[in-house]
Amino acid sequence: MTTHELHDEAMRLIERADRLNEKAFSLERRAAMRLLKKTDKEPTRAILFKGAAMLAIRCGFFNYAEEMARYGLAGNPPAEIKAELEEVLKLALAATK
């Protein structure tokens, strides 16, 4: 492969990865939202919201990341997951400033 061909292939893979990350975020968000009001489903609920928030960050969807982190924190997450949700929330808020 030429240098140009290698670069073109790399760009195609990045585009594909972006689409896959967005699809993963969409699916994780849907799963998390099914447990939005089911705080008796901890820690699963918090883990799903944390996953959705982290995927949103990866996709550059910072408003969604904030929303997902806040939903996760609104339940009763275990301390370790709560700390991770708080960290994701800080990242999302910093990115929107």
Side-chain angles (χ1 to χ4, degrees), residues 11-81:
M11 294 303 103
R12 278 191 291 276
L13 290 172
I14 287 171
E15 287 178 20
R16 182 174 177 214
D18 288 345
R19 287 191 307 272
L20 290 172
N21 281 326
E22 289 173 9
K23 179 66 174 176
F25 164 69
S26 177
L27 294 171
E28 190 75 344
R29 181 176 180 267
R30 285 175 53 200
M33 292 303 289
R34 287 183 177 185
L35 299 183
L36 179 62
K37 295 184 180 186
K38 297 181 180 180
T39 55
D40 61 316
K41 300 293 185 186
E42 299 291 2
T44 302
R45 181 187 175 283
I47 291 168
L48 289 171
F49 277 110
K50 181 186 75 160
M54 292 173 73
L55 284 165
I57 292 279
R58 183 177 290 175
C59 294
F61 302 158
F62 301 113
N63 290 332
Y64 276 126
E66 178 184 352
E67 179 183 59
M68 296 294 101
R70 289 190 189 281
Y71 284 155
L73 290 166
N76 188 25
E80 183 178 330
I81 297 169

